[in-house]
Amino acid sequence: MKFRNVLFMAAATLAAFGFIIASWLPSHGGLLPTLRNREKLMEMSSGLHARKDRGWKDPEQKDPQQALHTPPRTLEEDWKRAPLHQELLESIYAVTPSDLTAECMSKFQVCGRCGKSGKLLQVGPGIGICPEVLEQTERILLFGAKAWTEFGSSLAEAGLHWPGSVTVHDCFVPESSIRCPKGRPECRVQFRKTCFYDQQEAPFPPDLNIKITPDNTDKLVGIFDIEPLESRVLSVASSARLRQYQMLVVKFFWLEQQSKHLLYLQLLQKLLKDFYLVSVSASSCHGRWHVPSHSLIMPRVVWATFLRKDLGESTICRTEMQMTQECQGNYSGISGLEALSRWSLTAKQPLGEPEDLLFEVYAQTYTPENPTKTNYLLPYKAVSLELLKTFRLCHECRSGSEDLERLGPGKDGGYLICKEAAATAGMAVAVSIGIRGSDPFGAVLSSRYNLHVHGFDCTGPSYGCPGNLAGCRFTHHSQCVGKPFGGRPASMFVTFDDILSKYAKEDEDLILKIDCEGCEWSVLPDVPLAVLRRFRMIIMEAHWLEKQERHATYAKTFNHILEAFDLVHSHACNVFGVWTVNGTGLGMPRIVELLFVRKDYAAATACTNSTYRHKLDVKICPVLPELYAESFRLPM
């Protein structure tokens, strides 16, 4: 990434965030209605990882840093025990403007009420139900053990009467965990060890409809708390089966995940044909999400109560959400009435759709005075942790860390190499992908190690050797490497095989430098391992590592490289901040410089997250604070 582009992007980023923050002020019904709350949010952004109330902390862990050095098995067990998605109400996930997203949000408006009386009763942590329906129901079916602990047991504890039976379906908890409250002998609950889903990605069995709706009755109440499968389970149920329920209470999880908004929308449209939405309760545990600069905002997790239309009445649609008490002490000084004014579910103008429907979902805790402290908070996913593991430094240059050398300027555009790997005979060519009119690293590499550098870039002006650099041989090719993009003709693109067959001898090694603003993810996975092994070193700038929807691709790419190479150096870009996996304290910078060395030129060493080389590493942006090795917090 070239420095002038970095300065432009930094300025644009500050301006954009300034606009977002301005749009949150009280005159716009804003998210930050008081200076006190604004200051508190800014304070949290600067110390996100260390704050106990930002995530989970093992009570047995005295040293917060010790978690980073826990053996993998123990750490994995800790993650399973942790409330991985608990966040302060101020946590805000930003999503890409989209008409699909706006339509999905609008379906959470309350457009009905309970019967003629309109009586709504808050039970459990604050979930709205129609009490008259319970008096005539024949069965209450609860799907997921939490549906009982958070909802069903509260009905019994409140002394509410219903003539029907109560059955809890779950296959992950023992029957002994489903108990009636003490002092309620009239409470009777059955437990069915029912696996109507098998992990997150497995297909559902063909008899799913039978399992969620018994035959020969249309007087059911259903409670669904089966994270994160509620939308998929209900989507495959037929409308006829769903109409057997008089009332459905559904806990919707992680509504900020735009990749699922079409599924959410289709499910809501299906339900609203036969049901009124009569109550929406916002979870106080998980923060919110919004569409920046469009005044659309709602909670990440909600309880929604649907009443069959023959039992309810239509009303004027309205944004109406109650705050639950699921997480005591998680309001941070925000009252229930104050919080209610913060939700906005209807767009005032068309939003369009993002190009290629590629959505970015992240939480941002932004510090305008210091973009380096910007933290993108990602939902907990195993693939993100697997990606983080690939960045561990467990090797060094074969001749030791002193063999590292910086080539190029003392700012953006300079990179580290292993001198021995560059100086050993049997190499005459280097390949540099991503030029944008300047490649001082490639020019110095050519001059110092007598290599002919071939630069490839079809997006910017050409580049040649500086006149004062003796021995430099640099040839610029107005071609890009990989698959065609941007409407450019196929003749402007070449493959690695094309480059090697045209510019390198079969018995010669090469060096690869790739800094192409994100194209590395579409180029490197397709390069055969035999071709990669032709390179002694890969100098790479990895971009936009916070994009969780691409973490599987990123991890696949790095694991592919690591079959033939070892990572010996990493350095953070200090312009764009870091990202963190929620609930773990683990994360890393969004953009990093990396040096991979072929295994025959690397040596094993003690593993570490990263090592800052003070005489070699420099700030990419000189006017911003540096991101040191501490910004890499990786699982062991």
Side-chain angles (χ1 to χ4, degrees):
M1 182 176 301
K2 305 300 165 270
F3 181 59
R4 61 176 177 269
N5 293 333
V6 170
L7 288 178
F8 174 78
M9 292 180 68
T13 302
L14 286 171
F17 275 103
F19 178 77
I20 292 172
I21 292 171
S23 68
W24 288 349
L25 293 177
S27 60
H28 293 75
L31 297 176
L32 304 176
T34 66
L35 180 61
R36 172 178 57 81
N37 284 338
R38 181 180 185 278
E39 290 174 343
K40 184 167 185 178
L41 182 56
M42 296 304 180
E43 174 192 349
M44 289 189 302
S45 68
S46 63
L48 179 64
H49 323 302
R51 289 181 62 90
K52 181 178 179 181
D53 54 6
R54 262 294 184 185
W56 169 79
K57 180 180 178 183
D58 189 337
E60 300 175 0
Q61 197 72 269
K62 296 181 180 180
D63 178 9
Q65 295 301 317
Q66 186 180 343
L68 300 180
H69 306 288
T70 306
R73 184 182 63 82
T74 305
L75 186 57
E76 206 160 294
E77 291 174 355
D78 288 345
W79 287 334
K80 290 178 181 178
R81 295 200 311 267
L84 296 166
H85 294 281
Q86 182 167 321
E87 299 171 20
L88 289 178
L89 191 60
E90 288 92 337
S91 296
I92 303 169
Y93 283 59
V95 304
T96 302
S98 159
D99 287 324
L100 172 64
T101 292
E103 185 177 2
C104 181
M105 296 175 80
S106 70
K107 299 304 179 186
F108 285 96
Q109 295 182 93
V110 174
C111 299
R113 68 174 190 172
C114 299
K116 295 182 179 180
S117 68
K119 184 178 179 181
L120 190 71
L121 182 66
Q122 302 294 325
V123 299
I127 305 162
I129 64 165
C130 300
E132 292 92 344
V133 173
L134 291 179
E135 297 176 1
Q136 51 183 306
T137 187
E138 294 179 357
R139 298 187 189 180
I140 299 179
L141 303 179
L142 299 103
F143 297 92
K146 286 187 177 180
W148 173 255
T149 58
E150 294 184 352
F151 186 92
S153 60
S154 299
L155 292 177
E157 195 167 347
L160 294 173
H161 173 73
W162 61 88
S165 62
V166 178
T167 305
V168 179
H169 293 268
D170 197 288
C171 70
F172 293 119
V173 299
E175 182 176 356
S176 59
S177 64
I178 308 299
R179 299 176 178 176
C180 285
K182 293 181 179 179
R184 293 293 175 185
E186 72 280 7
C187 168
R188 286 176 174 79
V189 59
Q190 296 177 322
F191 177 78
R192 293 286 183 268
K193 195 172 184 63
T194 307
C195 290
F196 48 89
Y197 56 89
D198 183 14
Q199 305 303 326
Q200 293 189 20
E201 301 301 330
F204 297 110
D207 60 344
L208 173 66
N209 281 334
I210 297 175
K211 290 186 176 182
I212 70 168
T213 50
D215 292 323
N216 305 320
T217 179
D218 62 353
K219 293 184 177 181
L220 300 172
V221 169
I223 319 295
F224 289 81
D225 185 354
I226 48 176
E227 174 198 355
L229 299 170
E230 69 290 337
S231 54
R232 292 176 62 186
V233 169
L234 291 170
S235 293
V236 298
S238 67
S239 295
R241 290 285 186 179
L242 291 177
R243 283 194 295 270
Q244 291 182 241
Y245 289 94
Q246 296 175 305
M247 183 169 62
L248 285 168
V249 182
V250 183
K251 192 172 186 179
F252 287 91
F253 289 89
W254 323 133
L255 292 170
E256 82 284 357
Q257 294 185 6
Q258 284 184 291
S259 59
K260 297 181 180 178
H261 281 185
L262 179 59
L263 177 62
Y264 291 147
L265 177 59
Q266 292 172 337
L267 171 59
L268 289 165
Q269 289 173 332
K270 176 180 176 180
L271 289 173
L272 293 174
K273 287 181 180 179
D274 299 306
F275 295 82
Y276 292 123
L277 182 58
V278 298
S279 175
V280 179
S281 300
S283 171
S284 58
C285 302
H286 308 291
R288 301 161 289 169
W289 61 282
H290 76 139
V291 181
S293 72
H294 288 282
S295 302
L296 290 171
I297 183 165
M298 71 174 294
R300 296 179 65 212
V301 177
V302 301
W303 286 91
T305 303
F306 299 88
L307 183 66
R308 205 169 62 204
K309 287 187 174 181
D310 60 313
L311 302 173
E313 289 188 350
S314 174
T315 64
I316 297 175
C317 293
R318 60 202 184 276
T319 298
E320 182 179 279
M321 294 195 189
Q322 307 297 321
M323 295 299 302
T324 71
Q325 302 290 332
E326 292 173 271
C327 294
Q328 294 292 338
N330 210 28
Y331 289 99
S332 302
I334 300 177
S335 68
L337 290 177
E338 187 178 349
L340 288 178
S341 67
R342 297 183 172 205
W343 318 127
S344 178
L345 303 178
T346 54
K348 298 180 181 179
Q349 63 189 55
L351 307 184
E353 297 294 350
E355 185 178 353
D356 299 326
L357 290 178
L358 292 178
F359 294 114
E360 297 179 18
V361 181
Y362 47 81
Q364 55 197 32
T365 52
Y366 182 69
T367 306
E369 304 83 10
N370 183 1
T372 304
K373 292 184 178 179
T374 301
N375 191 314
Y376 291 76
L377 189 64
L378 273 58
Y380 174 89
K381 288 187 178 180
V383 67
S384 300
L385 300 174
E386 290 302 316
L387 174 63
L388 287 171
K389 290 179 183 178
T390 64
F391 288 91
R392 294 279 293 161
L393 294 183
C394 298
H395 294 82
E396 60 183 2
C397 301
R398 188 171 66 182
S399 297
S401 59
E402 297 78 11
D403 193 48
L404 287 170
E405 176 186 26
R406 184 179 184 86
L407 300 182
K411 57 180 181 179
D412 186 32
Y415 302 94
L416 271 59
I417 66 167
C418 293
K419 291 183 289 185
E420 181 190 12
T424 303
M427 183 167 60
V429 171
V431 177
S432 182
I433 300 174
I435 307 299
R436 291 284 180 92
S438 177
D439 190 4
F441 167 82
V444 175
L445 177 67
S446 172
S447 173
R448 187 164 302 178
Y449 291 97
N450 192 29
L451 300 175
H452 189 168
V453 176
H454 292 270
F456 293 85
D457 198 321
C458 64
T459 66
S462 62
Y463 176 76
C465 290
N468 61 350
L469 196 58
C472 174
R473 290 176 296 153
F474 190 103
T475 302
H476 180 270
H477 304 271
S478 295
Q479 295 173 301
C480 286
V481 180
K483 300 173 183 176
F485 63 87
R488 296 175 173 85
S491 60
M492 295 182 68
F493 295 83
V494 295
T495 66
F496 271 87
D497 283 333
D498 296 332
I499 295 171
L500 296 182
S501 62
K502 201 168 187 178
Y503 303 111
K505 297 179 180 179
E506 289 186 4
D507 59 345
E508 286 182 342
D509 289 340
L510 302 91
I511 291 175
L512 172 64
K513 187 274 287 182
I514 179 167
D515 178 4
C516 54
E517 313 304 319
C519 85
E520 62 271 18
W521 307 118
S522 60
V523 171
L524 293 174
D526 296 331
V527 182
L529 201 58
V531 175
L532 279 181
R533 287 196 174 102
R534 295 284 306 277
F535 296 93
R536 289 184 188 174
M537 288 183 286
I538 299 177
I539 300 98
M540 173 183 179
E541 187 164 284
H543 296 81
W544 319 126
L545 295 169
E546 83 287 354
K547 292 188 176 182
Q548 195 171 43
E549 73 275 10
R550 304 199 67 189
H551 279 187
T553 297
Y554 296 170
K556 179 181 177 181
T557 301
F558 281 122
N559 285 322
H560 180 53
I561 294 173
L562 291 171
E563 286 190 53
F565 294 80
D566 290 316
L567 182 62
V568 300
H569 179 67
S570 58
H571 173 241
C573 171
N574 68 327
V575 179
F576 298 101
V578 300
W579 58 276
T580 301
V581 178
N582 183 35
T584 68
L586 302 174
M588 65 178 296
R590 296 175 64 205
I591 297 179
V592 293
E593 298 171 337
L594 304 170
L595 172 58
F596 295 94
V597 180
R598 202 171 62 196
K599 290 184 180 293
D600 55 326
Y601 284 93
T605 186
C607 292
T608 183
N609 288 337
S610 183
T611 300
Y612 190 84
R613 307 291 177 181
H614 285 275
K615 295 182 180 181
L616 300 173
D617 288 325
V618 297
K619 294 190 289 187
I620 289 180
C621 180
V623 299
L624 292 175
E626 180 65 299
L627 280 175
Y628 293 100
E630 293 77 13
S631 61
F632 292 81
R633 305 172 312 283
L634 311 176
M636 299 294 286

